[in-house]
């Protein structure tokens, strides 16, 4: 390990179980010398093994529903107390669509479901940054990262309204990132990750087909959760200080492919 985050303090949202991308980020951040607070929605605390992760990484857990300004204010205040100062890095690794969960087709969305999913998956990122910005909780040259998916730019029919949520999330990263950069020298980026077998990922209809197709299309193959964590660590480190307002594809090359030999083979008639 490289001590890339030695002395840095962070907040990590979204570690539900050991498959979660946030879980891998927490393990890697710990290995790289960071101290951090783990947080997740109160309901997820009861389901997941976040306590094991906290024990393993010497972290405290503060429950917070990322849609609640009260919870987020409490989280940021308590985190600064626990960590003994301002924050250097924040990971937003949160996504949920009620329409997906309830099996509603995109063309037949239920709009209170749409609103809830949009609040959890996209607006929560604005709320998190609002609290960090207004409490002046971030150190200069700090780094904020959210996770997204390429359905924000291109059509993946079964991704449902999460596609729209991700487009909104990526826009928030740019819009808020401008003010955070100008006023506090904090960078804000999104990482657009390959399909990854996690609880959220596997909630997408036809996920198995989806992940194998991406694997065959990508010259380097799909990026794993651990590889995503490595990339995230690089964005939290001082090696990427001037990278901001970006949507960064971490997908083995998938996003720039038209077709690959492996996919073509399946369509060539003998
Ligand atoms: P996951 O299911 O392990 O993580 C999602 C997390 O969101 C869970 O920990 C859940 O408790 C949390 N969450 C849901 N509602 C919340 C709320 N109201 N307040 C606070 N936290 C809440 O799945 P994964 O895949 O690790 O997801 C992390 C991020 O990566 C999400 O933004 C997801 O959309 C994104 N992503 C996932 C991909 C995949 O194929 N798995 C691909 C590209 C992006």
């Amino acid at each position: 390990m490289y001590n890339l985050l030695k002395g840095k303090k962070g907040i990590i949202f979204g570690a539900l179980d050991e498959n979660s991308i946030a879980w891998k980020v927490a393990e890697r951040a710990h290995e790289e010398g960071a101290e951090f607070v783990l947080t997740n929605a109160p309901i997820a605390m009861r389901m997941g093994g976040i306590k094991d992760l906290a024990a393993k990484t010497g972290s405290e857990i503060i429950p917070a529903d990322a849609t609640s300004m009260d919870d987020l204010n409490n989280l940021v205040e308590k985190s600064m107390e626990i960590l003994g100062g301002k924050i250097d890095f924040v990971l937003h690794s949160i996504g949920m669509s009620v329409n997906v969960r309830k099996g509603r087709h995109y063309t037949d969305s239920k709009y209170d479901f749409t609103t809830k999913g949009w609040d959890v998956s996209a607006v929560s990122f604005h709320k998190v940054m609002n609290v960090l910005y207004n409490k002046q909780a971030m150190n200069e040259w700090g780094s904020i990262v959210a996770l997204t998916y390429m359905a924000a730019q291109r059509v993946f029919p079964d991704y449902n309204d999460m596609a729209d949520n991700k487009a909104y999330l990526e826009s928030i990263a740019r819009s808020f990132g401008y003010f955070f950069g100008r006023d506090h020298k904090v960078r804000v980026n999104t990482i657009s990750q390959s399909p990854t077998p996690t609880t959220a990922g596997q909630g997408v209809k036809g996920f198995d087909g989806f992940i194998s197709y991406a694997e065959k299309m990508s010259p380097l193959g799909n990026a794993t959760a651990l590889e995503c964590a490595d990339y995230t660590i690089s964005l939290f480190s001082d090696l990427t200080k001037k990278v901001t307002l970006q949507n960064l594809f971490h997908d083995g090359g998938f996003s720039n492919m038209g077709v690959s030999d492996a996919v073509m083979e399946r369509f060539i008639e003998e």
Side-chain angles (χ1 to χ4, degrees):
M1 298 309 135
Y2 315 94
N3 269 333
L4 284 174
L5 303 185
K6 190 157 190 271
K8 293 198 187 293
K9 304 171 198 302
I11 301 177
I12 298 178
F13 288 80
L16 179 66
D17 58 33
E18 60 189 8
N19 298 317
S20 299
I21 297 168
W23 188 286
K24 310 283 185 210
V25 172
E27 289 182 330
R28 287 291 295 111
H30 177 61
E31 285 169 2
E32 294 296 340
E35 280 177 79
F36 46 83
V37 163
L38 295 168
T39 182
N40 209 326
I43 185 153
M45 304 277 161
R46 293 200 284 276
M47 289 152 52
I50 194 171
K51 289 200 184 85
D52 298 339
L53 180 65
K56 202 170 154 181
T57 58
S59 316
E60 290 204 31
I61 305 168
I62 304 177
D65 176 342
T67 63
S68 156
M69 289 299 280
D70 287 345
D71 284 10
L72 292 172
N73 276 306
N74 176 61
L75 168 69
V76 170
E77 274 163 28
K78 291 241 169 74
S79 298
M80 287 198 287
E81 271 169 41
I82 291 167
L83 299 169
K86 292 193 185 192
I87 310 299
D88 300 292
F89 65 88
V90 176
L91 176 70
H92 178 287
S93 185
I94 298 171
M96 194 277 299
S97 157
V98 191
N99 282 307
V100 167
R101 280 207 181 164
K102 305 267 186 197
R104 300 288 294 217
H105 193 264
Y106 185 72
T107 54
D108 186 30
S109 296
K110 198 159 179 272
Y111 293 107
D112 52 346
F113 294 173
T114 306
T115 307
K116 177 70 187 162
W118 169 73
D119 196 16
V120 170
S121 308
V123 184
S124 66
F125 192 39
H126 198 285
K127 292 177 176 172
V128 168
M129 287 198 279
N130 175 340
V131 173
L132 293 165
Y133 179 92
N134 287 302
K135 287 192 182 301
Q136 306 208 355
M138 294 294 293
N139 275 320
E140 280 199 354
W141 303 112
S143 174
I144 301 174
V145 169
L147 293 174
T148 186
Y149 182 59
M150 210 187 60
Q153 288 81 32
R154 299 196 190 164
V155 177
F156 292 86
D158 290 329
Y159 209 67
N160 210 314
D161 59 347
M162 277 305 289
D164 307 327
N165 295 337
K166 291 305 192 189
Y168 199 95
L169 177 87
E170 292 175 17
S171 181
I172 289 171
R174 287 185 293 270
S175 302
F176 220 127
Y178 166 71
F179 295 105
F180 243 133
R182 185 192 69 181
D183 300 339
H184 300 304
K185 295 199 166 43
V186 169
R187 60 202 188 277
V188 182
N189 296 289
T190 49
I191 296 178
S192 188
Q193 164 68 7
S194 295
T196 314
T198 61
T199 305
Q202 277 159 336
V204 178
K205 195 170 143 236
F207 183 78
D208 291 346
F210 203 52
I211 195 168
S212 340
Y213 171 70
E215 174 72 24
K216 292 225 176 315
M217 276 290 276
S218 314
L220 298 180
N222 288 332
T224 65
L226 182 57
E227 287 160 344
C228 185
D230 284 338
Y231 190 36
T232 307
I233 298 297
S234 77
L235 289 173
F236 290 161
S237 82
D238 290 335
L239 300 177
T240 53
K241 274 170 132 171
K242 291 285 172 80
V243 180
T244 196
L245 313 185
Q246 302 300 312
N247 179 43
L248 302 160
F249 289 101
H250 182 252
D251 63 359
F254 179 85
S255 47
N256 268 345
M257 289 299 296
V259 74
S260 67
D261 293 329
V263 170
M264 276 294 273
E265 265 171 29
R266 306 207 161 200
F267 292 90
I268 294 169
E269 287 170 24
E270 296 299 326

